[in-house]
Amino acid sequence: MKIMQPAPILGIDLGTTNSLVGVVDSGFPILLADENGSRSTPSAVLHGEDDKVTVGAVALRQRALHPTRTVTSVKRLIGRRPGEAGWVPPYVLSDLKTTPVEVSAEILKHLKAVAERALEQSVSKAVITVPAYFNDAQRNATKQAGELAGLEVVRILSEPTAAALAYGLDKLSEHQKIAVYDLGGGTFDISVLEMRDGVFQVLATAGDTQLGGDDLDRLLARFIAEKVSLPPDDIRVSEGAEAVKKRLSSDETASFNGLEITRAELEKIAKPWIGRTRTHCLRALSDAGIKAEQLDEVILVGGSTRMPLVRDHVREIFGREPNTSQNPDEAIALGATIQAGILGGSLRQVLLLDVTPLSLGIETFGGLMNIIIPRNTTIPAKAGEMFTNAVANQSSMLIRILQGERELAKDNWELGRIEVPFPPVPKGGARVGVQFRLDANGILHVLARDTATSTDTTLEIRGTAVDVADERVEQMIAESVDFAFEDMNERVWTETRLKAEELLPAVDLALAQLGNTIDDGEKSEVIRHAAAVKNLLDSPAHDARALKEATQRLDDATQALAVMLIDRAVEESLSRRGLV
Ligand code: AMP
């Protein structure tokens, strides 16, 4: 049987200045590059005079030439922070006969094409991130943009939550809190999150949509322009300023046109700029009702947090070392990709280390699978059930431990078997409790106890939860779906057959005992129903529904016999004791 590869779900960071797209490949989240090898696409859309739409770096390069035709930072128009002074773009969307949703859709379409080219496969679903402060209308607008781009938006994810996923903080325990400090090119966001019931809740969010690395570039450009006697809006100066700023994040000095600039000089210019994030941080903490010491982690997002000065500032505000383990410009896209992988099931291998990949159970009467710990149960887990003997005078019970999703024991995998001895008892007389305990390491401890003697038999099976190869798990699940109808029919058939096989001898016995005391009509009715059940049992067709109905009819028809039998037994007993 062919194992179906599910179509991947994209993770998309639809940013104000840059957008990124990723996908989970072979269990790993990866960000996808365009044909130029770039993993980041400028969120710029050029509406050419010929109505031709261009997206990304090519559009951005034309901005100086066509300032009114190049749409940038459109996210600000979709998602204006409530109460914040409006931002006036250099273009008029209505002149371009377009809307923020349509422009966003163009960017998403471009990202979809980047992904399809890289994956050599078409994609139709995505997780898209939005700022935590986006309201319903803004989230819906983003979703609409996705749909317009031909993507089913399976989840709108908050950016700080995505960042936390990328930093691996989904493993935090209940009520642990984190701050996500996000300083990008044009916007600043600070969010305080708390882990509740296994998911992040945004406790507070604050920020400034007009504060980012671009502002510092302008300040530095002015400083440089003065020294080299060029206008600060000269493209060489503004681009040079950004390059110098970036260089100074790793080096102590950088040069522009023979001019040497030190990190100390940049930091002097940057101090008031970075100082503006402070009040927002304090505000978010106070809105969340917590003190900085109560945070378990502070994570950094956005390219500007690469600056040592920014890190110093964050350390000072929160009184702790920020976590810098992830690439700050890619964290949101990476988190969106991880979320997409979880939703699409392709991250199963990584994430299900803590859950059972397949159901665990034992074989019961008639060769059926009896599930004790269902698939996807979080481990450690413990569950048990009571079983009895099917045959009279049985003196032991064989317990086959199974793993799988099929209804019949024979279609699942046998992990082991144990034999539980007990003194011979009539049918249904034994009481054997079977308990499964799956520990945190995925080791299954099976305990079977004969309750009459309190004798325990135990077995340890290793690697049930974690060592199952992913393809085999997928195949087992796929087969359980493919054969669901046949499997269920066989289960119902077996359960009904067991019941019928008990009922038929009981009916024969009753008829023999009652002899002529019942009227012929009733008797032939019962015999007819019994014959119908026997016929079905002998037929190779295994028609579960017909057998169930026939058995039910026989059961109903014999109700009167059962009452008569009881009456007769009572009468006999009374007469034996001379009471009647
Ligand atoms: P983002 O919006 O996350 O892509 O961040 C973009 C901003 O980060 C721009 O202002 C960049 O100039 C800035 N940035 C990127 N890399 C660095 C770096 N190494 N040092 C300082 N700023 C940087």
Side-chain angles (χ1 to χ4, degrees), residues 13 15-20 40 182-187 212-217 242-250 266 273 301-308 310 328-330 332:
D13 169 6
T16 308
T17 33
N18 292 305
S19 296
L20 297 89
S40 171
D182 178 354
L183 186 62
T187 59
D214 300 350
D215 302 305
L216 181 58
D217 297 347
E242 188 186 6
V244 164
K245 174 189 77 172
K246 288 187 181 174
R247 169 67 60 86
L248 291 175
S249 288
S250 49
L266 171 70
W273 164 78
V301 180
S304 300
T305 64
R306 289 182 188 276
M307 287 181 63
V310 174
D329 356 64
E330 297 187 340
I332 290 175

